[in-house]
């Protein structure tokens, strides 16, 4: 795809040739649950459809009809499997939970698709998890050594085992005991015979909101999932909070010592849908504010502002409004191309990107353009974007990124490369500019990012957000990384 020359060719092995969307931070996962509604499974499917941007590899729903649990888990998109009446009819009951998945721990195979279900002494128990456990492999090794049998390679299954092995008398006590043993980031939505349970990690790294529809409580990763079904947003689940929903109503528990919240700042930069409200902040308005801060910090004279679709659009609007430079759609995205395209040879890979994105020559030919994107990971797509703009006749191509340089990998549910594959971790700013082939390159500063969030700047003593990808400041223990327990554990390959 890349058609690289010079130093770029030399680095092609280190930075694989990918399409415009492959060299992105991969979404985490999305969770949804509803209690007491006669159309629980159908509503859950709609909620998952709204959360599809958080994971496109697999989707699953588990319902409970008062007598038994019913499960449908499939590889692929929500609409490919859960839009049929026959599928929803196989998920009877007034309570259900669902999950959309992008794998960060465990392969993309059916046995890893969530919600995961287990029969424990108190009855059935299903779990849907957004996030990643930084001691998941260590827990798994210890549990296996103690006789546990795992059916998946997902870190989420360790939670099921911890709950099942607890000797506490009540399910919620067993659940809390399990959570006390895990580290990392999690928003959990769980379903038992009698309860819908939601939980958020003590730092609130991963999001979770509470809503209501027709008198029934809902848990979801984002407010956009409430909007699609006409539900009312009640509040965010607090960091370290557990909510228990039953026939008796809703109960809130705070079993962990209170800590300052540090939500993941990438929810605002990239992951959350622009129409979502995260912790009282409009994601769309925050992204525009990032663009405005970027314009203030990296001002330049140019003819047009061009967003890299779709994630760069709000920041580009903000940059345009602040700078006074006109906004143009210089890259057109084809929304009717499927998720994958067979690319058997390099020459075909080089053409494949144009199936999804093409230059709008009328908007950029002969002009000095400013490309706006939300992040640079490996940098391979940035190379292709700049090349595309030059081939379409752009006189100058300047790159502006509405987040700071990504210099450290993530271990909390975002699929980032190892550090030596992150362009900003291995190159200076000038080396990055030369690699990408643009006329100038600039990133939003860390303090500028915090100002866009409405803060005066980053408080280094008590950081307001989880921002380790930019700062290297990891807010939890990284037990698996420190112990180098990172090998893939699966030995079973499933076919078909």
């Amino acid at each position: 795809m890349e058609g690289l020359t010079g130093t770029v060719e030399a680095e092609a092995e280190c930075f694989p040739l990918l399409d415009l969307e492959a060299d992105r931070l991969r979404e985490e996962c999305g969770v949804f649950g509803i209690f007491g509604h006669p159309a629980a499974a159908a509503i859950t499917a709609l909620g998952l459809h709204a959360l599809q941007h958080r994971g496109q590899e697999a989707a699953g729903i588990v319902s409970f009809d008062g007598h038994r649990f019913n499960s449908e888990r499939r590889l692929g998109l929500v609409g490919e499997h859960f839009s049929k009446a026959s599928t929803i009819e196989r998920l009877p009951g007034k309570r259900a939970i669902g999950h959309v998945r992008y794998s960060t721990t465990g392969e993309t195979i059916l046995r890893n698709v969530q919600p995961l279900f287990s029969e424990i002494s108190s009855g059935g128990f299903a779990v849907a998890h957004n996030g990643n456990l930084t001691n998941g492999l260590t827990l798994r090794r210890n549990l296996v050594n103690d006789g546990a049998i795992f059916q998946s390679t997902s870190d989420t299954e360790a939670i099921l085992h911890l709950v099942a092995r607890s000797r506490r008398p009540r399910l919620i006590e067993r659940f809390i005991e399990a959570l006390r043993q895990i580290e990392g980031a999690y928003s959990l939505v769980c379903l038992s015979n009698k309860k819908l349970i939601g939980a958020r990690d003590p730092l609130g790294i991963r999001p979770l909101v509470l809503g209501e529809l027709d008198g029934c409580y809902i848990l979801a990763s984002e407010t956009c999932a409430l909007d699609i079904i006409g539900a009312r947003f009640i509040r965010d689940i607090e960091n370290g909070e557990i909510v228990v929903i039953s026939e008796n109503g809703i109960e809130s528990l705070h079993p962990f010592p209170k800590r300052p919240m540090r939500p993941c700042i990438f929810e605002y930069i990239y992951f959350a849908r622009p129409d979502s409200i995260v912790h009282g902040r409009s994601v769309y308005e925050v992204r525009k504010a990032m663009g405005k801060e970027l314009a203030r910090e990296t001002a330049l004279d140019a003819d047009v502002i061009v967003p890299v679709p779709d994630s760069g659009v709000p920041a580009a609007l903000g940059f345009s409004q602040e700078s006074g430079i006109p906004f143009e759609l210089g890259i057109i995205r084809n929304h009717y191309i499927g998720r994958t395209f067979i690319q058997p040879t390099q020459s075909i890979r080089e053409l494949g990107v144009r199936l999804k994105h093409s230059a709008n020559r009328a908007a950029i030919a002969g002009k000095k353009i400013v490309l706006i994107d939300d992040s640079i990971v490996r940098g391979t797509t940035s190379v292709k974007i700049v090349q595309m703009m030059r081939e379409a006749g752009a006189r100058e191509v300047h790159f502006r990124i509405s987040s700071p340089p990504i210099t450290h990998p993530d271990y909390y549910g975002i699929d980032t490369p190892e550090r030596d594959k992150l362009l900003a971790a291995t190159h200076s700013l000038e080396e990055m500019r030369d690699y990408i082939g643009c006329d100038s390159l600039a990133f939003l500063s860390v303090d500028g990012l915090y100002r866009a969030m409405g803060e005066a700047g980053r408080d280094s003593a008590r950081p307001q957000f989880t921002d380790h990808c930019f700062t290297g400041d990891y807010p939890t223990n990284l037990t698996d990384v420190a112990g180098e327990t990172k090998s893939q554990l699966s030995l079973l390959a499933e076919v078909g």
Side-chain angles (χ1 to χ4, degrees):
M1 181 191 88
E2 293 293 337
L4 310 180
T5 59
T7 59
V8 176
E9 275 184 349
E11 296 186 61
E13 183 176 354
C14 182
F15 299 95
L17 305 180
L18 304 168
D19 69 32
L20 241 64
E21 297 189 359
D23 184 26
R24 294 268 183 192
L25 296 176
R26 295 294 187 133
E27 289 88 348
E28 306 139 338
C29 294
V31 295
F32 188 95
I34 184 168
F35 188 94
H37 201 286
I43 291 170
T44 299
L46 287 172
L48 294 182
H49 183 76
L51 298 172
Q52 186 73 86
H53 60 287
R54 300 187 71 89
Q56 296 90 47
E57 290 189 348
I61 296 175
V62 170
S63 70
F64 182 67
D65 60 13
H67 300 285
R68 69 176 183 177
F69 289 83
N70 309 277
S71 175
E72 287 281 337
R73 299 182 299 155
R74 296 288 183 266
L75 299 177
L77 300 175
V78 176
E80 293 173 350
H81 304 290
F82 293 97
S83 59
K84 300 176 182 177
S86 57
T87 303
I88 301 301
E89 288 170 0
R90 294 196 295 270
L91 295 165
K94 294 185 177 182
R95 62 195 75 162
I97 64 172
H99 187 268
V100 288
R101 181 174 193 267
Y102 176 78
S103 60
T104 54
T105 299
E107 300 169 293
T108 305
I109 50 180
L110 191 58
R111 60 197 171 105
N112 283 339
V113 179
Q114 298 186 35
L116 299 182
F117 175 82
S118 180
E119 188 73 33
I120 61 178
S121 61
S122 59
F125 191 66
V127 178
H129 173 205
N130 168 213
N132 199 61
L133 305 185
T134 56
N135 67 336
L137 292 174
T138 300
L139 285 171
R140 180 190 185 104
R141 180 189 59 207
N142 295 339
L143 286 163
V144 168
N145 288 342
D146 202 28
I149 300 174
F150 279 72
Q151 297 299 312
S152 76
T153 59
S154 169
D155 61 340
T156 308
E157 190 176 357
I159 299 172
L160 282 175
H161 282 278
L162 293 173
V163 173
R165 296 164 79 88
S166 173
R167 295 296 178 260
R168 300 284 184 177
R170 298 173 58 231
L171 173 62
I172 193 62
E173 293 173 345
R174 301 170 74 173
F175 183 66
I176 291 171
E177 184 174 73
L179 296 191
R180 292 190 191 281
Q181 300 175 67
I182 67 178
E183 300 170 356
Y186 59 84
S187 283
L188 301 171
V189 175
C190 311
L191 187 64
S192 73
N193 300 59
K194 298 180 179 179
K195 298 176 174 67
L196 174 67
I197 303 170
R200 199 169 175 199
D201 64 74
L203 291 174
I205 298 174
R206 299 274 75 88
L208 190 65
V209 300
L210 177 68
E212 178 268 330
L213 176 68
D214 300 332
C216 304
Y217 287 112
I218 296 169
L219 295 167
S221 290
E222 293 182 40
T223 59
C224 64
L226 303 179
D227 296 336
I228 198 174
I229 59 174
R232 176 176 66 93
F233 169 74
I234 298 176
R235 65 177 178 87
D236 290 289
I237 303 301
E238 297 177 12
N239 53 309
E241 181 182 11
I242 297 173
V243 291
V244 183
I245 301 166
S246 68
E247 298 288 356
N248 299 322
I250 186 168
E251 179 184 10
S252 174
L253 305 173
H254 293 83
F256 306 107
K258 186 65 177 177
R259 301 175 63 181
M261 179 177 284
R262 286 188 65 178
C264 178
I265 203 160
F266 259 106
E267 291 291 338
Y268 298 96
I269 296 170
Y270 182 72
F271 292 123
R273 244 175 55 166
D275 54 332
S276 284
I277 306 296
V278 179
H279 303 118
R281 296 176 174 91
S282 161
V283 173
Y284 176 75
E285 291 299 332
V286 167
R287 289 178 185 168
K288 281 180 64 178
M290 291 174 186
K292 291 180 180 180
E293 286 290 337
L294 182 63
R296 295 184 192 113
E297 292 185 351
T298 67
L300 77 164
D301 177 42
D303 298 318
V304 294
I305 305 299
V306 175
V308 176
D310 288 321
S311 57
V313 171
L317 283 169
F319 196 106
S320 175
Q321 291 171 4
E322 181 65 24
S323 66
I325 302 171
F327 172 98
E328 295 286 355
L329 294 177
I331 301 173
I332 304 301
R333 179 180 176 185
N334 185 344
H335 292 267
Y336 301 98
I337 296 298
R339 291 177 296 119
T340 59
F341 178 75
I342 298 173
Q343 299 177 340
T345 67
Q346 181 167 327
S347 61
I348 296 299
R349 285 198 301 271
E350 291 177 3
L351 296 174
V353 65
R354 300 179 189 274
L355 292 175
K356 291 185 177 181
H357 299 83
S358 59
N360 182 7
R361 183 179 294 271
I364 61 179
K367 295 178 181 177
K368 183 178 179 179
I369 71 169
V370 181
L371 285 169
I372 307 291
D373 206 352
D374 59 81
S375 59
I376 291 179
V377 185
R378 293 180 176 89
T380 53
T381 59
S382 301
V383 172
K384 192 60 185 179
I385 294 165
V386 171
Q387 179 183 329
M388 184 189 299
M389 296 296 95
R390 294 201 188 281
E391 290 175 353
R395 181 162 52 91
E396 293 182 19
V397 181
H398 300 268
F399 228 123
R400 295 293 182 268
I401 309 300
S402 59
S403 66
I406 298 174
T407 54
H408 291 75
D410 179 83
Y411 301 104
Y412 300 116
I414 305 172
D415 186 30
T416 54
E418 293 298 315
R419 193 174 186 196
D420 62 358
K421 300 297 191 297
L422 294 169
L423 189 66
T426 57
H427 293 64
S428 68
L429 184 64
E430 175 58 24
E431 289 170 340
M432 293 176 71
R433 186 208 61 76
D434 184 61
Y435 174 82
I436 292 169
C438 52
D439 292 283
S440 73
L441 174 66
F443 293 81
L444 182 63
S445 69
V446 171
D447 279 336
L449 176 60
Y450 274 73
R451 285 193 296 272
M453 298 296 299
E455 305 286 342
R458 185 179 192 268
D459 183 348
S460 58
R462 298 183 67 180
Q464 304 94 314
F465 296 93
T466 293
D467 58 8
H468 50 275
C469 287
F470 311 128
T471 64
D473 180 7
Y474 293 93
T476 75
N477 293 331
L478 302 177
T479 300
D480 289 342
V481 177
E484 298 183 354
T485 313
K486 297 186 287 186
S487 59
Q488 172 63 36
L489 298 176
S490 174
L491 298 177
L492 174 65
E494 294 183 329
V495 180

